[in-house]
Amino acid sequence: MIQYATRYNIPRIMEMIEAYAYENPNIKLFANQQLHDAKYIEELLFNIIKFRGFILIDKYMRGCFIALKQNNIWCPTLVELHQLFWYVEPEFRGLLSGRLWKAFNKTANDLLNNKKIDLVYTSITANNIFTDFTKRGYKPIEAKFVRGT
């Protein structure tokens, strides 16, 4: 069962964020623990739960999906919902990943239909299986690349 995270889930979500940092094959800087700022992450997660978006978790806390609301940089009257983080423990990937994304998409559709947001952004990561989100009503707008360590 997928549910909304509360502030009491923040320690476990922080563990998942840290696990992602060590797993990310393309950005080695993420694994540098000296660059991690637990207080900043904790405050950000609390603000997302409180009013800046939402966090979805499964009831066993094996995965989470973080969505952040923000105003568009060019058209500040438009409110966007961005996929910020999507992580599932390796042994539970597959079905749980899909359930989390479907719950995100349902919540995003509700926010769109209720005029709480104007646009929704989702993405795939380089180490993930390609998902064709165009089949779900999304349009491709960009691909992101990174350079550095």
Side-chain angles (χ1 to χ4, degrees), residues 86 93-95 97-98 123-133 136:
W86 181 11
R93 292 182 183 157
L95 191 58
S97 295
S123 61
I124 57 170
T125 58
N127 58 346
N128 236 345
I129 297 170
F130 178 74
T131 302
D132 185 1
F133 290 115
R136 294 166 176 87

Side-chain angles (χ1 to χ4, degrees), residues 36-132:
H36 297 188
D37 188 339
K39 184 174 172 36
Y40 168 79
I41 296 168
E42 185 176 15
E43 288 174 4
L44 176 64
L45 294 174
F46 182 76
N47 285 326
I48 290 171
I49 289 169
K50 190 173 176 184
F51 62 88
R52 290 187 58 200
F54 58 89
I55 302 174
L56 299 167
I57 57 170
D58 71 298
K59 74 177 186 175
Y60 300 109
M61 293 191 283
R62 299 173 299 199
C64 75
F65 196 109
I66 302 174
L68 177 69
K69 286 194 313 188
Q70 65 185 40
N71 294 81
N72 179 278
I73 192 168
W74 303 113
C75 305
T77 59
L78 297 179
V79 179
E80 304 173 333
L81 182 68
H82 289 264
Q83 170 187 329
L84 182 63
F85 182 77
W86 181 11
Y87 179 81
V88 175
E89 291 177 354
E91 58 271 23
F92 299 103
R93 292 182 183 157
L95 191 58
L96 181 54
S97 295
R99 286 181 179 158
L100 282 166
W101 189 87
K102 285 181 181 178
F104 157 75
N105 194 49
K106 181 187 179 319
T107 303
N109 283 337
D110 291 345
L111 292 169
L112 279 169
N113 293 335
N114 292 319
K115 309 285 189 227
K116 303 282 185 192
I117 59 171
D118 301 292
L119 299 164
V120 179
Y121 293 84
T122 192
S123 61
I124 57 170
T125 58
N127 58 346
N128 236 345
I129 297 170
F130 178 74
T131 302
D132 185 1

